Amino acid sequence: MALPGKVHIVEVGPRDGLQNEKQMIPAAVKVELVDRLTAAGFPNIEVTSFVSPKWVPQMADGAEVMGRIARKPGITYSVLVPNMKGFEGALAAKADEIVVFAAASEAFSRKNINCSIAESIERFRPVCEAARAHGLRIRGAISTALGCPYQGEVEPAAVGYVARLMKELGVQHIGVADTIGTGTPRATQAAMEAALAHYAIGDISGHFHDTYGQALANIYACLQMGVASFDTSVAGLGGCPYAKGATGNVATEDVLYLLRGLGIDTGIDFEQVVAIGQWISGILGRKAFARAGNALAARSAPAAAAAA
């Protein structure tokens, strides 16, 4: 199959990227990050989550952040919700889309939320019914689709099982997520094929972590199948909690560089994203986890110094 001519990028840095940061990030910084991403042309930005601050203290200011961002028509501002209380927060914050989630690994589901996969999805039934009643789009995420820190390998059939349950629940778009970054291209295609048994190609996306350096290869494998939607995180924000010291989400800058080289349109300003990645990494006091971004920034630095 020919590669897609256009790819839809969901920028997850503000939510998935920042949620595990130990230092508390001021709401003003989060707002500025979202506003900069809006200006760079992202069609969909995952802003925050409405979860208990006891479990994710970094996202406790979700309502404030949603209330302060400068929204642009045509851009989808998403929030993650775990339950009806979270949905009520999302509704009050005027989110355009909610994100619900389930694991493809029974071991992961029981270890993290103390219930089976089927039970975890059933908990989202009232959430999805309420979202449909209020006209909110519902996006789902299948975590540990390519590997689990507790059970190891995850079979494609398990991905298909969760995709089927989410489809029955009314989830309109499904993301296949390599939570621990162990997936390789062939395994990625098998997982995607399992999800495609229940969702159309335009309603599936890939979410890859770069723990083992396979994220870009896995994205290319998806592109070969016709998958044209991916989650990425500016500056590679978001470490992998199951692999100490490892990078987490694939860096938006690296994905944009790949897609530009393939002649695939995203509608996103690559240079602007590089600047955003360098800025937020400076705020966090570390170097960005974006090889293409760091390379371009290094190349641009001498020119900027000479101009000054």
Side-chain angles (χ1 to χ4, degrees), residues 77 90 97 141 148 162 172 188 192 203 245 250 301:
Y77 297 94
E97 175 183 74
C148 170
V162 178
Q172 296 150 308
T188 294
M192 286 292 176
D203 296 324
V250 65

Side-chain angles (χ1 to χ4, degrees), residues 15-300:
R15 198 282 300 176
D16 195 23
L18 293 181
Q19 68 177 4
N20 288 322
E21 288 291 330
K22 290 183 171 56
Q23 58 173 306
M24 293 305 293
I25 312 302
V29 171
K30 296 173 184 173
V31 170
E32 184 173 353
L33 174 60
V34 174
D35 288 350
R36 287 182 180 225
L37 294 168
T38 292
F42 286 92
N44 190 319
I45 302 170
E46 199 168 293
V47 178
T48 188
S49 59
F50 285 90
V51 299
S52 169
K54 175 183 175 182
W55 300 114
V56 189
Q58 190 66 255
M59 298 286 106
D61 56 4
E64 179 185 356
V65 172
M66 284 292 287
R68 292 174 57 185
I69 59 174
R71 302 190 189 205
K72 184 177 178 180
I75 296 179
T76 299
Y77 297 94
S78 311
V79 300
L80 181 140
V81 301
N83 49 36
M84 276 304 296
K85 184 175 181 181
F87 172 76
E88 289 162 5
L91 190 63
K94 296 181 171 55
D96 300 309
E97 175 183 74
I98 63 165
V99 183
V100 297
F101 53 91
S105 159
E106 285 287 355
F108 190 88
S109 185
R110 293 187 180 280
K111 184 84 171 178
N112 282 269
I113 53 177
N114 200 33
C115 68
S116 69
I117 292 170
E119 289 169 337
S120 74
I121 290 180
E122 192 60 29
R123 291 177 182 178
F124 283 116
R125 186 171 299 280
V127 173
C128 291
E129 289 174 354
R132 290 198 302 273
H134 287 90
L136 268 68
R137 189 166 182 266
I138 310 166
R139 180 157 52 90
I142 305 176
S143 65
T144 62
L146 288 160
C148 170
Y150 308 116
Q151 77 176 49
E153 188 176 347
V154 174
E155 293 295 328
V159 177
Y161 169 66
V162 178
R164 176 175 63 80
L165 293 179
M166 286 205 167
K167 185 72 172 180
E168 291 171 356
L169 207 59
V171 173
Q172 296 150 308
H173 183 102
I174 199 74
V176 177
D178 185 10
T179 307
I180 60 174
T182 56
T184 54
R186 184 175 293 178
T188 294
Q189 291 183 332
M192 286 292 176
E193 288 287 359
L196 282 166
H198 306 282
Y199 281 86
I201 193 78
D203 296 324
I204 284 186
S205 58
H207 178 115
F208 299 103
H209 284 227
D210 206 28
T211 314
Y212 285 78
Q214 299 296 295
L216 291 180
N218 293 338
I219 287 172
Y220 189 77
C222 290
L223 291 170
Q224 290 178 314
M225 298 175 70
V227 176
S229 181
F230 300 95
D231 297 351
T232 67
S233 180
V234 65
L237 294 176
C240 179
Y242 308 104
K244 190 174 181 180
T247 56
N249 294 297
V250 65
T252 304
E253 298 93 314
D254 294 346
V255 176
L256 292 178
Y257 185 78
L258 169 69
L259 296 175
R260 188 164 73 169
L262 293 170
I264 296 174
D265 180 41
T266 62
I268 299 166
D269 187 317
F270 173 59
E271 284 75 15
Q272 208 167 332
V273 176
V274 169
I276 295 168
Q278 297 298 306
W279 166 76
I280 190 62
S281 297
I283 294 286
L284 298 174
R286 64 169 181 261
K287 189 175 181 180
F289 293 122
R291 284 165 290 184
N294 289 341
L296 184 63
R299 193 175 69 192
S300 303

